[in-house]
Amino acid sequence: MSCSGNLIWDVRKRAIGCTDPYAVRTNYLGRREFVQRLKLEAVLSVHDGCVNTISWNDTGEYILSGSDDTNLVITNPYNRKVKTTIRSGHRANIFSAKFMPHTNDQQIVSCSGDGIIFYTHTEKSQEINRQCQFTCHYGTAYEIITVPNDPYTFLSCGEDGTVRWFDMRMKTSCTKEDCKDDILINCQRAATSISICPLVPYYLAVGCSDSSVRIYDRRMLGTRATGNYMGRGTIGMCVCFVPEHLSSKSCRVTSLCYSEDGQEVLVSYSSDYIYLFDPKDDQARELKGPSEERREELRQPPVKRLRLRGDWSDTGPRARPESEREHDGEQSPNVSLMQRMSDMLSRWFEEASEAQSSRAHPQTRPRALPHVSSVFLPGGAEAAGHVISDQSTGVSEASPNTTETLKSTSVPSLGTSPGYSSGSGSTPPGPGRTGTAEPVLSLHYSTEGTTTTAVLKLIFYKHYSACSTFHRRSAAARIQELFRRRKERREMEESETQNIRRPSIKMVYKGHRNSRTMIKESCFWGNNFVMSGSDCGHIFIWDRHTGEHLMLLEADNHVVNCLQPHPYDPILASSGIDYDIKLWSPLEQSASFNRVLAEEVIARNELMLEETRNTITVPASFMLRMLASLNHIRTDRVEGDRSEGSGQENEDEQ
């Protein structure tokens, strides 16, 4: 039977009026009318938390999902019944889960926000499965992938900058402290996404937090466990892709995907767009990036806004840019309490920043000794000072997979006067005290280590007659040493990668918004379409070859993170912040695309993407402690005014 005419997908029969699966994929899934007839078919409410990962089994009979509720669930999408719910053993949000190939869907690997990997056998007891864990990653483990037709090995990547390769024939668990046995690649910066070429599986693509996508030939790589670990992150690299305008920025890769034929790679960037490139291309080799000094300048973007964790007001189909909200007024019923608190915090930050920039430096005033309180944003377990500290775990209250939840790295800061602690909240003894304190908010960025880390400092300048410069000199020396080491490492990498291919951009896909979550999948559907989730709660579908926007589907109340097409049938599975999985299929009688609505959404997304580039998420404890700090400052100033007034009265009496 030929596949032509107005064909409607029969969900129960799993057919569209033709029995030839090849004809379905080539003649039906490639048509524009196919994506423009997509409609919500079913909602699978199988979790009690945000659904961060979904994947089909090889036959397309089951969906495996993982969630903030730390459960793994296997669901039949056709009868919509749960086959198995597994208490995974994870103590943090599950970010990625896959069926191991050729294991009859009984073996699963999964990873979570605390870096732990579990190997789960669905037919074994919970006690046995919980013994099969790998604690090798430190920091978040972002993604797990399996190797085609290989039931024994899998790969993972994480915030610690490593790509690790595990062979279940050698071991089914590892709890060794600071384990380096299974490191395949050390990227020296966070490795946030990985993908294997489906037809030539020894090619491995790795997306990093420095905007680069690196493709390695695994035949040239090994681990300490296999006895042939090469040590450096440039060994085996054959391709490096970086969009020219991102060469001076650190934009995280949130998704990597090979095309079915392995000829092209799709990459999605946080706070930017989606790009298509050909790994065999080498046209960008001669493009020269900005100087090192310019790179440092561009790495420190302005911060105009602070957002409280749990404030998802800028996500979902009804979210609006700040300019529209200002026009409506703060008392609009659409403005949530959390959003108003974020606005208040931003105003405080802006006022403090303006005060800092306009502050004069009178020569007659004694030099200031700074009290530094730092918050590593967000989720830093280490915070210095008595005013602002955050003991959170780095997991967002509403959803864990936020792009701002970055691993804390040590950043040198100005010290305090010898002999007393900056965390005590007390003023040091000795003459010269004026009793005043001026808060200064400043934001600093560090790209040393595995990721770009934002450090927000609330500095109280207490004025004394004498000031030590020792700490400032020491901090400056440490900073210079960090920059020197980073420059040496970069120069070494550049010399070692002179002969690798550097592809140029083949196609760019715009209109969506990718800034709020670390997981934002983009993927191919058949040969003619590219798809992505978005912070606006929609699914975007483009023409793969022209970049034309073809379809918009409202699919989440906040953010669509995951998209997985069925391996054979015309079904799409999606998930995000909502606690469910949604199934889409071509149920509409005729093709329909509201282009006017799509253009409105795209315009808003572009405005809000620019706003979000200058926004940092902070924990609620930050706001509470900032309030306490300001109250402490006011108290100090009142007491200082009283002291000055008393002194003036005594002078008058004399």
Side-chain angles (χ1 to χ4, degrees):
M1 174 183 285
S2 63
C3 291
S4 59
N6 190 23
L7 300 172
I8 302 298
W9 170 246
D10 188 324
V11 178
R12 300 301 178 182
K13 294 182 180 179
R14 295 183 63 182
I16 55 172
C18 98
T19 56
D20 182 358
Y22 177 78
V24 171
R25 292 187 64 77
T26 56
N27 299 329
Y28 188 67
L29 295 186
R31 297 181 186 177
R32 176 179 297 208
E33 67 162 306
F34 159 65
V35 296
Q36 294 183 343
R37 286 167 50 189
L38 288 172
K39 183 178 180 180
L40 183 63
E41 174 188 315
V43 176
L44 308 178
S45 301
V46 297
H47 283 286
D48 293 319
C50 306
V51 183
N52 307 316
T53 177
I54 51 177
S55 61
W56 296 90
N57 69 340
D58 289 338
T59 63
E61 294 178 272
Y62 295 104
I63 297 175
L64 171 65
S65 56
S67 166
D68 291 4
D69 62 14
T70 70
N71 287 337
L72 295 167
V73 178
I74 302 175
T75 310
N76 184 321
Y78 298 101
N79 61 23
R80 295 154 199 181
K81 293 181 180 180
V82 172
K83 179 186 179 185
T84 308
T85 297
I86 303 166
R87 294 187 177 181
S88 66
H90 286 291
R91 295 185 297 273
N93 313 304
I94 298 174
F95 281 169
S96 183
K98 299 289 192 302
F99 289 111
M100 293 293 290
H102 303 300
T103 62
N104 199 27
D105 304 325
Q106 293 181 346
Q107 298 177 36
I108 297 168
V109 286
S110 57
C111 66
S112 58
D114 57 6
I116 295 178
I117 295 170
F118 271 93
Y119 163 62
T120 303
H121 197 296
T122 60
E123 301 300 314
K124 293 184 179 179
S125 68
Q126 182 174 312
E127 290 73 20
I128 293 176
N129 283 330
R130 293 198 176 184
Q131 295 175 12
C132 300
Q133 61 175 291
F134 299 84
T135 60
C136 308
H137 280 289
Y138 56 90
T140 299
Y142 289 114
E143 190 166 11
I144 274 189
I145 59 171
T146 58
V147 180
N149 301 313
D150 183 349
Y152 303 111
T153 69
F154 64 91
L155 297 103
S156 63
C157 66
E159 186 70 26
D160 59 8
T162 65
V163 177
R164 300 181 185 240
W165 178 64
F166 299 94
D167 190 334
M168 307 298 289
R169 293 166 296 192
M170 300 177 66
K171 57 183 178 181
T172 58
S173 66
C174 180
T175 55
K176 185 189 301 184
E177 187 175 353
D178 194 27
C179 178
K180 295 181 173 62
D181 293 350
D182 304 294
I183 295 177
L184 188 69
I185 305 166
N186 190 344
C187 299
Q188 301 293 325
R189 66 269 294 157
T192 54
S193 187
I194 48 179
S195 181
I196 278 186
C197 180
L199 295 186
V200 190
Y202 49 77
Y203 284 130
L204 170 67
V206 182
C208 297
S209 60
D210 65 348
S211 309
S212 68
V213 175
R214 304 150 179 231
I215 298 181
Y216 295 85
D217 186 338
R218 291 195 298 131
R219 295 172 297 182
M220 300 175 64
L221 303 174
T223 66
R224 289 181 174 89
T226 59
N228 56 339
Y229 178 60
M230 301 304 295
R232 296 197 303 276
T234 55
I235 299 297
M237 191 192 306
C238 51
V239 177
C240 184
F241 170 78
V242 182
E244 182 182 2
H245 69 286
L246 296 183
S247 62
S248 57
K249 300 179 182 179
S250 292
C251 287
R252 288 183 160 230
V253 173
T254 64
S255 174
L256 271 179
C257 183
Y258 268 96
S259 59
E260 287 185 354
D261 58 8
Q263 298 300 305
E264 294 177 329
V265 177
L266 193 68
V267 52
S268 180
Y269 285 96
S270 176
S271 300
D272 203 73
Y273 307 115
I274 300 169
Y275 300 94
L276 185 72
F277 70 90
D278 180 354
K280 300 185 300 298
D281 177 36
D282 197 22
Q283 295 182 14
R285 176 191 292 272
E286 301 303 322
L287 294 177
K288 185 177 181 181
S291 66
E292 184 69 19
E293 292 76 13
R294 178 60 176 161
R295 291 173 69 93
E296 295 307 317
E297 178 185 341
L298 293 175
R299 276 200 192 98
Q300 302 190 28
V303 172
K304 300 177 182 178
R305 180 174 174 79
L306 298 178
R307 180 199 300 117
L308 284 175
R309 280 205 197 123
D311 177 8
W312 292 92
S313 57
D314 65 337
T315 64
R318 278 150 286 285
R320 296 295 181 267
E322 191 173 346
S323 56
E324 286 190 32
R325 292 195 288 108
E326 289 175 353
H327 181 267
D328 293 339
E330 284 192 352
Q331 301 306 316
S332 167
N334 294 326
V335 179
S336 66
L337 175 62
M338 188 69 74
Q339 184 175 342
R340 292 175 185 175
M341 292 173 67
S342 291
D343 291 340
M344 185 184 302
L345 187 60
S346 294
R347 284 198 299 272
W348 291 345
F349 180 78
E350 184 177 352
E351 290 169 3
S353 299
E354 289 176 355
Q356 178 186 4
S357 62
S358 61
R359 178 182 288 105
H361 299 281
Q363 299 297 323
T364 57
R365 176 177 290 189
R367 298 186 69 181
L369 179 66
H371 289 221
V372 181
S373 296
S374 302
V375 179
F376 297 88
L377 297 180
E382 299 176 353
H386 66 286
V387 178
I388 304 172
S389 63
D390 179 32
Q391 301 300 324
S392 65
T393 60
V395 177
S396 172
E397 295 161 0
S399 175
N401 47 348
T402 56
T403 51
E404 297 90 352
T405 308
L406 309 179
K407 181 183 173 185
S408 300
T409 56
S410 177
V411 180
S413 62
L414 296 175
T416 56
S417 178
Y420 79 99
S421 168
S422 65
S424 66
S426 61
T427 51
R433 175 186 171 190
T434 65
T436 61
E438 299 181 20
V440 176
L441 280 168
S442 62
L443 188 80
H444 302 269
Y445 287 83
S446 170
T447 52
E448 193 63 28
T450 58
T451 185
T452 302
T453 301
V455 182
L456 188 63
K457 296 183 178 180
L458 182 60
I459 306 176
F460 292 88
Y461 283 92
K462 289 189 177 271
H463 299 284
Y464 305 103
S465 58
C467 177
S468 169
T469 60
F470 171 77
H471 294 287
R472 286 197 295 272
R473 289 174 179 171
S474 176
R478 292 197 301 270
I479 291 172
Q480 289 176 355
E481 178 65 15
L482 288 173
F483 275 91
R484 185 187 65 79
R485 290 180 182 176
R486 183 168 60 184
K487 185 177 181 180
E488 288 179 354
R489 188 179 69 198
R490 192 183 305 278
E491 289 174 350
M492 181 179 294
E493 284 189 358
E494 289 177 354
S495 65
E496 291 175 346
T497 58
Q498 286 182 350
N499 296 323
I500 68 170
R501 292 190 296 275
R502 299 185 180 274
S504 57
I505 296 171
K506 188 172 184 178
M507 185 59 61
V508 58
Y509 308 96
K510 297 183 178 182
H512 69 305
R513 179 159 51 98
N514 176 11
S515 58
R516 289 301 307 272
T517 56
M518 293 183 294
I519 301 168
K520 188 73 86 291
E521 291 180 346
S522 59
C523 61
F524 299 96
W525 198 356
N527 296 323
N528 295 332
F529 306 117
V530 164
M531 303 182 296
S532 175
S534 176
D535 291 350
C536 65
H538 291 90
I539 297 170
F540 283 73
I541 304 178
W542 297 270
D543 185 297
R544 171 179 173 176
H545 310 290
T546 67
E548 179 188 357
H549 187 211
L550 299 179
M551 192 57 179
L552 186 74
L553 299 168
E554 185 175 322
D556 197 279
N557 286 311
H558 291 288
V559 180
V560 178
N561 285 323
C562 303
L563 293 176
Q564 289 295 317
H566 190 281
Y568 306 109
D569 294 340
I571 301 175
L572 173 67
S574 70
S575 70
I577 303 300
D578 291 349
Y579 296 179
D580 56 41
I581 301 167
K582 295 179 177 69
L583 301 178
W584 308 82
S585 58
L587 300 177
E588 294 286 1
Q589 293 289 332
S590 59
S592 176
F593 174 42
N594 189 336
R595 193 170 296 277
V596 174
L597 173 63
E599 290 175 354
E600 291 177 0
V601 172
I602 290 171
R604 287 195 183 105
N605 278 344
E606 192 63 34
L607 288 173
M608 297 178 76
L609 182 65
E610 191 61 36
E611 291 175 2
T612 311
R613 285 192 178 110
N614 301 330
T615 302
I616 284 187
T617 296
V618 298
S621 58
F622 178 92
M623 187 172 190
L624 296 175
R625 287 170 179 142
M626 190 171 182
L627 281 170
S629 306
L630 294 174
N631 184 60
H632 177 74
I633 295 167
R634 293 189 187 102
T635 302
D636 274 2
R637 284 177 173 168
V638 169
E639 291 178 354
D641 291 343
R642 287 175 179 171
S643 298
E644 291 177 5
S646 176
Q648 184 65 40
E649 289 175 3
N650 292 336
E651 290 177 4
D652 293 343
E653 290 176 359
Q654 294 176 358

